[in-house]
Amino acid sequence: MSGNDTAGLPGEAFFTPGTSSFTEFLAAHRPGLLPTAPVLPAGVRTAPDRFPHGTTVLALTYRDGVLIAGDRRATMGNLIAQRDLEKVHPADDYTAVAFAGTVGLAVDMVRLYQVELTHFEKIEGTPMTLAGKATRLAAMIRQNLAQAMQGLAVVPLLAGYDPTAPDGGRGRIFGFDAAGGLYEKYDFYAEGSGSPYARGALKKLYRPGLTRREAVLAALQALYDAADDDSATGGPDLNRRIFPVVSVITEDGFERLPQEESEDLSREMIEQRTARPDGPHATP
């Protein structure tokens, strides 16, 4: 190989000192690869039915940690664009992120966020704190503000297990707005077009110290209520065997509920709705 032949070798950028942020590395050397790179000319706003949008996602704390869940529907205006969309993803071993908003940008942002956390841990030799993870995700959302103003907003929901938090508060939830505002939420929260109905359901179903099974059923009930009143939210599809994605994060790490468990609990919840179509009453 000649002295000028660098085929197959890392470029100079990989040997340039920088920060532990992979997003900042891309912004400096390959900005076109960022999901926040403009896809529309300045001043152009997209019609609401041009790109798939996903809703609804929610999270709630329970006895062993935190649960995060989402329905499976994506819509384009009044059309169903996808029935089995995955809206809940692990960010690392103890953190998960779910999203509402423009699907294409959201999926790319989640992937970049996963790399961001892995890159930080490899460079620094230690995982980022949960508060640091939330702040880093807020910065990524803020970079997408121009596209959000054009109708291409992405609004994630972050949940994680924080081993440094006091006993009883290790499951933590963070919400965001389209401008990158960061807000820690307590007990439960929901995002997306069906979120007002999901939060309303959780207000009557949530209580401290829920077991895992109780927390899953509460999440399924809340998503069912959202689907009952919001056409952009999909309920359990028994014929296609498409059920909400439910994941939990505990001291043992991230775990997505098996398809069989989600299906069994969804069917149990639907049977309960046969006797009480408007859902269970609040526990005294």
Side-chain angles (χ1 to χ4, degrees):
M1 181 177 67
S2 66
N4 294 328
D5 188 1
T6 59
L9 297 179
E12 181 180 351
F14 290 91
F15 300 99
T16 303
T19 71
S20 56
S21 170
F22 186 75
T23 303
E24 293 180 7
F25 174 81
L26 279 185
H29 300 286
R30 294 289 188 275
L33 296 179
L34 289 170
T36 54
V39 296
L40 297 174
V44 174
R45 183 175 176 84
T46 180
D49 59 349
R50 295 298 182 184
F51 299 96
H53 279 67
T55 60
T56 299
V57 295
L58 59 83
L60 66 149
T61 59
Y62 72 107
R63 184 177 62 191
D64 299 324
V66 62
L67 176 150
I68 186 166
D71 82 307
R72 308 294 296 277
R73 179 174 291 179
T75 58
M76 292 175 58
N78 64 329
L79 301 178
I80 297 176
Q82 188 172 345
R83 301 179 187 275
D84 59 351
L85 178 65
E86 298 275 343
K87 303 177 186 177
V88 180
H89 302 268
D92 62 13
D93 290 341
Y94 291 95
T95 318
V97 60
F99 66 82
T102 307
V103 172
L105 296 180
V107 170
D108 281 350
M109 186 179 291
V110 168
R111 290 172 179 167
L112 179 60
Y113 185 59
Q114 292 168 333
V115 175
E116 178 83 1
L117 299 187
T118 301
H119 181 78
F120 178 92
E121 185 171 351
K122 289 183 179 297
I123 296 297
E124 298 294 337
T126 184
M128 194 181 299
T129 65
L130 184 55
K133 296 172 188 177
T135 301
R136 190 63 59 92
L137 183 55
M140 294 175 64
I141 300 168
R142 193 171 300 113
Q143 292 171 353
N144 192 58
L145 180 58
Q147 294 190 82
M149 299 299 291
Q150 294 178 306
L152 300 175
V154 175
V155 185
L157 180 62
L158 185 71
Y161 185 85
D162 188 354
T164 66
D167 289 342
R170 297 186 175 183
R172 300 176 67 185
I173 301 167
F174 297 90
F176 306 85
D177 60 35
L182 170 61
Y183 315 94
E184 182 163 5
K185 306 296 182 177
Y186 298 96
D187 298 335
F188 60 85
Y189 192 64
E191 195 59 77
S193 63
S195 61
Y197 313 107
R199 287 199 296 267
L202 289 173
K203 280 183 179 180
K204 66 178 182 179
L205 297 176
Y206 180 85
R207 69 178 190 277
L210 290 171
T211 66
R212 166 170 155 156
R213 187 176 187 277
E214 291 170 337
V216 174
L217 283 172
L220 293 174
Q221 291 279 9
L223 289 172
Y224 191 98
D225 274 349
D228 199 34
D229 288 298
D230 173 45
S231 62
T233 304
D237 191 331
L238 301 182
N239 293 330
R240 297 181 177 88
R241 297 188 65 197
I242 299 174
F243 302 95
V245 174
V246 182
S247 298
V248 295
I249 314 168
T250 67
E251 63 179 354
D252 296 323
F254 174 90
E255 178 192 356
R256 172 171 167 161
L257 266 64
Q259 167 78 7
E260 295 77 13
E261 184 175 358
S262 295
E263 179 174 351
D264 289 345
L265 292 176
S266 293
R267 291 182 182 275
E268 178 181 333
M269 180 267 298
I270 291 172
E271 289 178 2
Q272 295 173 359
R273 289 280 180 152
T274 302
R276 194 185 294 276
D278 292 330
H281 289 169
T283 302

